[in-house]
Amino acid sequence: MSKQPEPLEKLAETASIKADKKVFIKTYGCQMNVYDSTRMSDVLTPMGYGETSAPDDADLIILNTCHIREKAAEKVYSDLGRLRILKSKRAAKGENMVIGVAGCVAQAEGEEILRRAPIVDMVFGPGAYHKLPDLIKRSHNGGRGVVDTDFPIEDKFESLPVPEKKKTLARGKTAFLSVQEGCDKFCTFCVVPYTRGAEYSRPFRQVLDEAHALVDAGVQEITLLGQNVNAYHGEDGAGNDASLARLIHTLADIDGLSRIRYVTSHPRDMTDDLIDAHSEVDKLMPYLHLPVQAGSTRILQAMNRQHTAESYVRLVERIRAGRPDLAMSSDFIVGFPGETEADFQATLDIVKEIKYAQAYSFKYSPRSGTPAASHENPVPEEVMVERLKRLQTVLNEQQVAFNKSCIGKTLPVLLDRRGKREGQLVGRSPYLQSVYIQAPDEAFGEMVNVEIETGMANSLTGRRVLETT
Ligand code: 5AD
Ligand code: SF4
């Protein structure tokens, strides 16, 4: 997963629910963590915790961490250093502040966190956040902090409460819904199979119930989440495997739900039925985040990606044959060990061939415990920096070109945010672009048609019109 989460303040917008204690949750990393943070908050509501955006007056602070790229653990330790001061200020007033570290850094570091940061009361991995009430109780018994890095993800989903309608209403028109966790692909650079564990799909019925609860609370757009979401194979209740395509078709039948998205996918799991869903299901948005990582088949093999550059290009062609306006997005890693200038050129070539609407690109960084961390032939830092710059120049040009190609079109936009300017509302186009318009506040939460007037690097602007083109 790669999208940046919403700012912290956004996560804490639900503070209006009557509560006698306050929790501050800081979310690092991907959408999966954003989802997990909302579900932790759901678990805490019955315990009397409301969310706050001010760590100073929180009774409970949770750092929901990410381990995917460089210096993740160091960032967490430096945040914990700041929290140490906050906690001692509170202690001076005779008040307690419970500090928890959750997510993938917690999973990877475990006990080490308590050793390096004794102010921490609880360390718990992605498979354990449903046990928060118990962990909090145990941490109140004083003494050393508690650690829970057990894995059985299914226990977590079974124990989570259905999101409260009131809370979901406060969260708005778009929602994430986690359907799959973990990964069995073992790309040689990646920590996810170790921190999130083996691939697990939530039962079909459980996902449908959560989707219905979200739609009942006014959600119009659902993004299905998973580290390998298109590997989803839920059990449909009658003992049959239900694929992601089947899930999408079933969700599309829910009245009131207007848009479906899914992220993040592996090229190997783009099955025929999922490819067909892109042309068959109108509610499935024409946007696909399909990481390729590199354009050289030699490097893809060293990464254990299980696809070639050619098979990726053919795959995208097939999906676009049924959905010609499909906007593509990807992740790239430059400077994987052994990457030559010719390998890197192959990455630039595939970018030029596919034409991405947006993308994320990173310098390779070794993650300890992964096979690539011990590969020979590291690419020098200055070469990585230079390649990343060249790649990002092309990707940025493509993004601007895509945004400009929308000028003059009329696109449906779901207005789910308020802009910084007076009278400004913001929403997403079908292609996930942010679209800014001037509109009365009554339009907030509405799906409106917008004629696009300008296209910049990161957003579009336009005016509301009555009909689509
Ligand atoms: N170094 C650089 N980038 C990485 N990613 C994952 N692991 C690493 C690593 N060790 C990137 C991949 C992945 C995205 C979420 O993060 O591009 O798709
Ligand atoms: Fe990591 Fe590869 Fe699994 Fe994606 S598919 S989560 S990059 S191991």
Side-chain angles (χ1 to χ4, degrees):
M1 319 230 80
S2 46
K3 291 274 303 227
Q4 291 304 306
E6 297 285 346
L8 287 177
E9 295 72 22
K10 187 93 188 154
L11 289 174
E13 265 173 12
T14 49
S16 58
I17 287 163
K18 205 167 165 11
D20 53 358
K21 284 173 282 185
K22 294 195 179 115
V23 55
F24 173 83
I25 307 180
K26 175 167 176 173
T27 309
Y28 309 63
C30 65
Q31 292 105 322
M32 185 71 93
N33 271 9
V34 175
Y35 174 83
D36 283 354
S37 292
T38 60
R39 301 316 310 274
M40 280 188 229
S41 169
D42 292 339
V43 172
L44 291 166
T45 307
M47 296 181 75
Y49 283 97
E51 285 180 55
T52 173
S53 55
D56 308 51
D57 56 48
D59 304 285
L60 169 62
I61 294 198
I62 297 175
L63 304 183
N64 190 13
T65 63
C66 167
H67 199 239
I68 195 108
R69 281 180 302 273
E70 231 175 348
K71 301 199 181 96
E74 290 318 308
K75 275 184 217 144
V76 175
Y77 285 118
S78 87
D79 279 353
L80 286 171
R82 279 191 287 276
L83 289 181
R84 188 167 57 85
I85 301 166
L86 220 58
K87 187 162 171 150
S88 48
K89 273 193 196 150
R90 291 288 291 274
K93 290 196 249 166
E95 291 166 4
N96 189 26
M97 177 187 258
V98 176
I99 296 181
V101 179
C104 294
V105 172
Q107 188 68 38
E109 298 268 299
E111 288 278 346
E112 176 68 5
I113 295 182
L114 296 184
R115 204 186 58 75
R116 279 185 62 178
I119 57 147
V120 172
D121 302 284
M122 315 179 285
V123 176
F124 53 104
Y129 61 71
H130 60 296
K131 296 189 223 158
L132 256 174
D134 180 51
L135 290 168
I136 293 172
K137 250 186 253 149
R138 279 162 58 202
S139 77
H140 281 317
N141 289 338
R144 207 173 144 68
V146 291
V147 178
D148 191 331
T149 47
D150 281 354
F151 256 128
I153 301 284
E154 53 273 43
D155 293 356
K156 168 174 90 177
F157 285 119
E158 262 159 35
S159 321
L160 283 173
V162 173
E164 258 188 38
K165 187 161 181 177
K166 252 196 312 186
K167 264 191 121 164
T168 310
L169 278 173
R171 282 178 188 150
K173 297 284 163 185
T174 56
F176 293 132
L177 201 176
S178 177
V179 302
Q180 181 279 335
E181 256 195 72
C183 180
D184 295 340
K185 296 281 187 304
F186 289 94
C187 300
T188 55
F189 53 80
C190 184
V191 287
V192 167
Y194 311 96
T195 55
R196 289 275 175 167
E199 206 178 280
Y200 166 75
S201 295
R202 290 178 73 184
F204 203 69
R205 192 69 256 163
Q206 214 182 63
V207 174
L208 289 187
D209 287 349
E210 193 168 323
H212 277 283
L214 292 170
V215 175
D216 281 352
V219 167
Q220 283 186 50
E221 176 174 316
I222 290 181
T223 302
L224 304 172
L225 294 182
Q227 265 93 27
N228 238 259
V229 72
N230 58 342
Y232 178 82
H233 52 96
E235 199 275 315
D236 72 353
N240 308 312
D241 263 8
S243 64
L244 184 69
R246 169 112 185 267
L247 182 61
I248 290 169
H249 278 280
T250 311
L251 291 174
D253 288 338
I254 301 179
D255 284 340
L257 181 64
S258 322
R259 290 175 161 188
I260 303 167
R261 304 179 187 274
Y262 62 93
V263 74
T264 187
S265 294
H266 192 286
R268 273 292 292 261
D269 294 318
M270 286 305 302
T271 47
D272 290 348
D273 61 346
L274 188 54
I275 294 173
D276 291 345
H278 279 275
S279 54
E280 290 165 1
V281 182
D282 289 341
K283 291 183 183 183
L284 181 59
M285 291 296 99
Y287 175 92
L288 178 62
H289 181 70
L290 191 65
V292 66
Q293 311 295 358
S296 148
T297 292
R298 195 179 72 83
I299 293 295
L300 290 171
Q301 267 160 5
M303 289 176 164
N304 188 31
R305 286 289 295 175
Q306 305 170 44
H307 62 84
T308 64
E310 296 69 33
S311 68
Y312 180 92
V313 171
R314 275 201 307 275
L315 176 61
V316 174
E317 280 169 2
R318 279 179 63 208
I319 310 167
R320 278 183 168 154
R323 187 75 215 218
D325 69 332
L326 186 84
M328 287 295 302
S329 160
S330 182
D331 293 339
F332 295 91
I333 296 178
V334 301
F336 187 80
E339 184 189 74
T340 62
E341 175 59 26
D343 291 321
F344 175 67
Q345 278 298 334
T347 298
L348 294 178
D349 290 345
I350 205 166
V351 168
K352 286 177 190 154
E353 172 114 33
I354 300 288
K355 295 190 179 59
Y356 288 97
Q358 78 94 57
Y360 302 91
S361 47
F362 315 100
K363 285 182 293 177
Y364 169 72
S365 76
R367 317 304 297 130
S368 75
T370 59
S374 53
H375 281 193
E376 284 166 7
N377 293 326
V379 174
E381 173 69 17
E382 63 276 14
V383 177
M384 282 206 270
V385 170
E386 188 261 343
R387 286 183 188 163
L388 186 65
K389 209 166 142 212
R390 278 155 71 200
L391 174 62
Q392 289 183 339
T393 302
V394 181
L395 290 170
N396 289 343
E397 280 168 12
Q398 293 193 344
Q399 186 165 329
V400 173
F402 178 71
N403 287 346
K404 289 208 182 302
S405 75
C406 295
I407 296 172
K409 290 190 180 147
T410 298
L411 303 177
V413 175
L414 180 55
L415 298 168
D416 62 344
R417 283 174 287 154
R418 291 186 174 82
K420 289 206 180 90
R421 291 213 201 120
E422 184 71 24
Q424 193 178 47
L425 294 177
V426 194
R428 298 279 183 184
S429 74
Y431 312 109
L432 210 61
Q433 299 141 301
S434 287
V435 184
Y436 289 74
I437 65 166
Q438 290 297 123
D441 207 58
E442 294 84 79
F444 184 76
E446 300 278 303
M447 183 88 74
V448 299
N449 292 321
V450 176
E451 187 185 313
I452 304 303
E453 292 174 324
T454 65
M456 280 85 65
N458 295 309
S459 60
L460 307 175
T461 65
R463 62 183 186 92
R464 188 175 174 182
V465 292
L466 291 178
E467 74 295 334
T468 44
T469 47

